[in-house]
Amino acid sequence: MTARLIEIARIARVSVATVSRALNGRPGVGEHTRRRIQALATQMRYHPHANARALVTGQIPFLGLVVPDITNPFFPSLARGAEEEAFRRGYSLLLLNTNWAPERLRQAFDLLTSRRVGGLLLAHSIRLSDLPGQDPEVLRQTMVMAGVEAPSGTGIRAVTVDDRAGGAMVARHLLEQGYRRLGFIGGPRQDPSCRLRHEGFREVLSRAGRSRMGQVSFGEWSVESGYRQVKALLARREWPDALFAANDLLALGAAEAMREMGLSPGPAMGLVGYDDIESVRWTAVPISSVAQPESDVGREAVRRLIAMIAGETPEPDVRLLPRLSVRASSRRFPDPCPAPQEDPQ
Amino acid sequence: MTARLIEIARIARVSVATVSRALNGRPGVGEHTRRRIQALATQMRYHPHANARALVTGQIPFLGLVVPDITNPFFPSLARGAEEEAFRRGYSLLLLNTNWAPERLRQAFDLLTSRRVGGLLLAHSIRLSDLPGQDPEVLRQTMVMAGVEAPSGTGIRAVTVDDRAGGAMVARHLLEQGYRRLGFIGGPRQDPSCRLRHEGFREVLSRAGRSRMGQVSFGEWSVESGYRQVKALLARREWPDALFAANDLLALGAAEAMREMGLSPGPAMGLVGYDDIESVRWTAVPISSVAQPESDVGREAVRRLIAMIAGETPEPDVRLLPRLSVRASSRRFPDPCPAPQEDPQ
DNA sequence: CCGGGGTACGTAATCGTTTGCGTGGACGTC
DNA sequence: GACGTCCACGCAAACGATTACGTACCCCGG
């Protein structure tokens, strides 16, 4: 048990009000007694009771981070950035792993209404139907989307990554490397990320001449799907000479399919993935991939959320830029000036 | 703003005490008024104010999970298991990422003294010197180690994974596959995990005949170190015909070194790693590895922590068993009866 | 000598619950 | 008809802080 305010007050022969003022640096306390009280407090190992303080001030020093699956490597980095920023500002971060269960998503909002958290960071794609009977005005003031678009029309703040720009980067890179016909394999056709990555990719290609666009195919976000899509693609007459896989799982499956056809990613057929997960560095031919600034997403989202809770108007929404990690799977020419070791361990 | 007890009370024309009793299912309320109040509560969207309740009951519905780096794939799985179990029991899980800074570790304990959390899950190797001036008795009642040994002599509860058994499994597997001289490459010599994995490995070998033990070497937990250790090993006269890398980063480096020497993991030279991170599935030759039951560690640790907080005596410490994922890097003979697809995506 | 203003502190209300204790009425028993 | 029991409910004190307001005192100017 740590000491209470009242115990310090009794020993110092003053009222609790004075002790509170002294320790919080508020005016209205003599310099002498202030020192005396502070000394006493550290000596008695006083720590303010966070709950009691929260009850009266109305400030809740907790933020909730809602993720579908913390095991997915995108989220730990996001969590790391968010946690760091939150702690710096005196907040603690709650982890909520919904495991994709709508039920768990509801519980996350309950945390808001039961005042366990002061705000919510949603790194979880949601539909409007997932917000049943929540006051939209409240949501707008206590929620920030992190890494996903806000449901349209809700006016909820969001910090996202520019998927369209990512897709465009890939297209430009592949063209620069001299690839001629660029194919695309994706996840679910209606998934926003998938759609935007595809659009960015396509736009660059159409500016470079329509003939550059190879086959396009969609499926799921899985290794298996990547494998199947590539197998199907390579069964046709005309092959692309490079592939953009809209996520790294797809890319891993694609690489495997290519290998089985006696084709290895690289000069013969370029391959670029998306997300830059660890695994793509360790395939037989390391796979190029678009890296997302997950930590920054977390950090920026927290900054906005805290500002909103404090009643300030947060900075406007941002769309952070991804970065392309070029590896052997999409290098047609040996690097002219060998860059300083891209993947140092 | 959600409704308060007092507002419900006014409308129902009863006292707050009655409302509280009605909603919490406590006796002392007539069946009729109880229904009336419950109906009113749901209609008015009442949610109890967790903080206020916590203040009077003294129960704090938060647990802290302290990890050095959530980005390390061991911890998300642990966090997942812990979060799931905690939520099931009505607790929320705080994420504390120390980033290895002792300063941040101190802050974690402050959360305990300032009553922000009711207990701490430490998935973070610590020394006694990291617990400065903490009352050891308090720690024993509010902390559980998860995945790491407790500092000896502290009597702190711990849920760990049996590293010695893991090492032994590897040795037995390699011998079964017909490998003759087994080498070992490790992380820091004084690291407990490294030491135990080595001991388990060594014990099995010495029972199988001293001659089975090849070279042993230590370094750091990194790809780079694995690479260097293997290069050094293969510079000697007598080669082992299989290697146990005490963690997967080392194994990845080892595989790379072997490849550079024109040697690929498999029948020619066996290789087994430890931790079973995603990346080892995607190397040119997929690498066998010892998988740890991280989720179970988290879950079991939470169960014990909650029991302790509730004043019950928790179940005794456990040492969970790891599981070996056999892949091509350590298969000398083709699988006689092809098991049902080990790594389905 | 009186009054005004500033300083240093205490008193008490407040945040939203839970809970021990008191009380009035209905009901049953002798 | 008096008395004891129970039940359903209200009253008020907690929990541990913050903070508006009141008050005693000192100092200084007119």
Side-chain angles (χ1 to χ4, degrees):
Chain A
M1 283 289 179
T2 73
R4 308 285 138 79
L5 223 44
I6 194 174
E7 306 172 12
I8 300 187
R10 266 201 274 270
I11 297 187
R13 303 205 153 277
V14 291
S15 72
V16 286
T18 302
V19 180
S20 172
R21 281 189 284 249
L23 296 180
N24 292 332
R26 297 226 177 295
V29 188
E31 200 47 42
H32 177 64
T33 41
R34 166 159 294 163
R35 289 193 197 290
R36 200 161 52 96
I37 290 175
Q38 280 170 343
L40 216 53
T42 63
Q43 180 191 336
M44 297 175 67
R45 298 173 176 279
Y46 171 77
H47 285 259
H49 192 298
N51 253 346
R53 183 192 297 224
L55 186 57
V56 43
T57 63
Q59 313 257 38
I60 311 173
F62 296 105
L63 303 179
L65 171 63
V66 186
V67 301
D69 178 12
I70 188 68
T71 278
N72 178 326
F74 180 81
F75 298 111
S77 307
L78 191 151
R80 193 172 192 271
E83 198 267 355
E84 196 175 312
E85 184 69 17
F87 245 78
R88 201 210 316 279
R89 313 289 204 85
Y91 284 81
S92 304
L93 198 69
L94 258 67
L95 180 65
L96 303 170
N97 199 78
T98 68
N99 206 20
W100 296 110
E103 162 71 5
R104 291 288 268 109
L105 194 53
R106 303 275 305 253
Q107 293 180 10
F109 289 107
D110 286 348
L111 288 188
L112 208 53
T113 50
S114 68
R115 306 288 154 118
R116 275 203 193 182
V117 300
L120 237 38
L121 239 55
L122 262 189
H124 198 299
S125 66
I126 54 172
R127 290 172 315 235
L128 274 174
S129 59
D130 291 325
L131 313 173
Q134 304 287 339
D135 180 353
E137 186 54 35
V138 170
L139 291 184
R140 222 168 297 148
Q141 289 170 10
T142 54
M143 262 190 43
V144 170
M145 310 290 301
V148 285
E149 306 284 338
S152 61
T154 56
I156 295 175
R157 302 242 81 94
V159 174
T160 52
V161 183
D162 195 334
D163 281 314
R164 190 187 303 266
M169 287 171 61
V170 173
R172 275 194 295 269
H173 163 67
L174 288 174
L175 290 177
E176 272 172 21
Q177 290 289 320
Y179 293 103
R180 309 268 101 197
R181 283 186 62 79
L182 312 186
F184 174 95
I185 65 177
R189 182 181 249 105
Q190 70 280 17
D191 182 295
S193 295
C194 182
R195 202 169 39 75
L196 289 168
R197 289 168 197 180
H198 180 225
E199 281 178 19
F201 184 70
R202 193 183 187 83
E203 271 168 27
V204 169
L205 291 189
S206 61
R207 263 200 288 276
R210 200 81 187 145
S211 65
R212 297 291 161 83
M213 189 49 152
Q215 288 102 347
V216 172
S217 114
F218 295 90
E220 300 157 23
W221 292 124
S222 70
V223 177
E224 177 61 10
S225 172
Y227 178 88
R228 276 199 309 257
Q229 288 185 55
V230 169
K231 282 276 179 167
L233 238 66
L234 300 189
R236 312 228 188 118
R237 294 295 312 247
E238 196 150 322
W239 288 10
D241 62 357
L243 277 177
F244 171 29
N247 115 355
D248 279 342
L249 296 180
L250 293 170
L252 288 171
E256 200 166 310
M258 288 163 64
R259 230 175 346 260
E260 277 189 19
M261 316 270 300
L263 195 61
S264 92
M269 180 169 297
L271 177 63
V272 177
Y274 208 107
D275 285 347
D276 203 23
I277 66 177
E278 267 289 309
S279 298
V280 298
R281 307 187 174 192
W282 303 107
T283 45
V285 176
I287 302 173
S288 301
S289 189
V290 179
Q292 311 208 49
E294 300 98 350
S295 287
D296 298 334
V297 172
R299 202 186 333 274
E300 292 301 318
V302 165
R303 289 183 50 192
R304 283 164 176 74
L305 184 53
I306 291 181
M308 280 169 40
I309 292 177
E312 309 162 17
T313 65
E315 308 163 59
D317 289 3
V318 274
R319 199 174 288 283
L320 301 174
L321 283 178
R323 200 178 52 77
L324 178 64
S325 291
V326 177
R327 304 200 177 86
S329 73
S330 68
R331 258 197 292 253
R332 206 154 204 182
F333 317 115
D335 222 341
C337 90
Q341 188 70 13
E342 190 224 328
D343 282 328
Q345 272 77 34
Chain B
M1 283 290 181
T2 74
R4 307 286 138 79
L5 269 192
I6 194 173
E7 306 172 14
I8 300 186
R10 266 200 276 269
I11 298 187
R13 304 204 153 277
V14 292
S15 71
V16 285
T18 302
V19 180
S20 171
R21 282 188 282 248
L23 297 179
N24 292 330
R26 296 225 178 296
V29 188
E31 200 47 42
H32 177 63
T33 41
R34 166 159 294 163
R35 288 192 199 291
R36 200 161 50 97
I37 290 175
Q38 280 170 342
L40 216 52
T42 62
Q43 179 191 336
M44 297 175 68
R45 297 173 179 281
Y46 170 77
H47 285 260
H49 192 299
N51 254 347
R53 179 188 297 213
L55 186 58
V56 40
T57 64
Q59 313 257 38
I60 311 172
F62 296 105
L63 302 180
L65 171 63
V66 186
V67 300
D69 178 11
I70 188 69
T71 278
N72 178 327
F74 181 80
F75 297 111
S77 307
L78 191 151
R80 194 172 191 272
E83 199 265 356
E84 195 175 313
E85 184 69 18
F87 246 77
R88 200 211 316 278
R89 314 288 204 85
Y91 284 81
S92 304
L93 198 69
L94 258 68
L95 180 64
L96 303 169
N97 199 76
T98 68
N99 208 17
W100 296 110
E103 162 71 4
R104 290 289 268 109
L105 194 53
R106 303 275 304 253
Q107 293 181 9
F109 289 107
D110 287 349
L111 288 189
L112 209 51
T113 51
S114 70
R115 306 287 155 117
R116 275 203 194 182
V117 300
L120 236 39
L121 238 56
L122 262 189
H124 198 298
S125 66
I126 55 170
R127 290 172 315 236
L128 273 174
S129 60
D130 290 325
L131 313 173
Q134 303 287 341
D135 180 353
E137 186 55 32
V138 170
L139 291 185
R140 222 168 298 149
Q141 289 169 9
T142 54
M143 263 191 41
V144 169
M145 309 291 299
V148 285
E149 306 283 339
S152 60
T154 55
I156 294 175
R157 302 241 81 93
V159 174
T160 52
V161 183
D162 195 334
D163 281 314
R164 191 187 299 268
M169 287 170 60
V170 172
R172 275 193 296 269
H173 164 66
L174 288 173
L175 290 177
E176 270 171 22
Q177 290 289 321
Y179 293 103
R180 310 267 97 198
R181 284 186 61 80
L182 313 186
F184 174 95
I185 66 177
R189 184 183 247 105
Q190 70 281 17
D191 182 295
S193 296
C194 181
R195 202 167 41 74
L196 289 168
R197 289 167 197 181
H198 180 225
E199 282 178 17
F201 184 69
R202 193 184 187 84
E203 271 169 25
V204 169
L205 291 189
S206 61
R207 262 201 288 278
R210 200 81 187 146
S211 64
R212 298 292 162 83
M213 190 50 155
Q215 288 102 347
V216 172
S217 119
F218 295 90
E220 300 157 22
W221 294 123
S222 70
V223 177
E224 178 60 12
S225 173
Y227 179 88
R228 276 201 308 261
Q229 288 184 55
V230 169
K231 282 278 180 168
L233 238 66
L234 299 190
R236 311 231 188 115
R237 293 297 310 249
E238 195 149 323
W239 288 10
D241 62 357
L243 277 177
F244 172 29
N247 115 356
D248 279 342
L249 296 180
L250 292 169
L252 287 170
E256 199 166 313
M258 287 163 65
R259 226 171 355 254
E260 278 189 18
M261 314 271 300
L263 195 59
S264 91
M269 180 169 297
L271 177 62
V272 177
Y274 209 108
D275 285 346
D276 203 25
I277 67 178
E278 267 290 308
S279 298
V280 298
R281 307 186 174 193
W282 303 107
T283 46
V285 176
I287 303 174
S288 302
S289 189
V290 178
Q292 310 208 48
E294 300 97 351
S295 287
D296 298 333
V297 172
R299 201 186 334 275
E300 292 300 318
V302 165
R303 290 183 50 192
R304 283 164 177 73
L305 184 53
I306 291 181
M308 280 169 40
I309 291 177
E312 310 162 16
T313 63
E315 308 162 59
D317 288 4
V318 273
R319 200 173 287 285
L320 301 173
L321 283 179
R323 199 178 53 77
L324 179 63
S325 291
V326 177
R327 303 197 179 87
S329 75
S330 67
R331 259 197 292 252
R332 206 154 204 182
F333 316 114
D335 222 341
C337 88
Q341 188 70 8
E342 190 223 329
D343 282 329
Q345 265 77 34

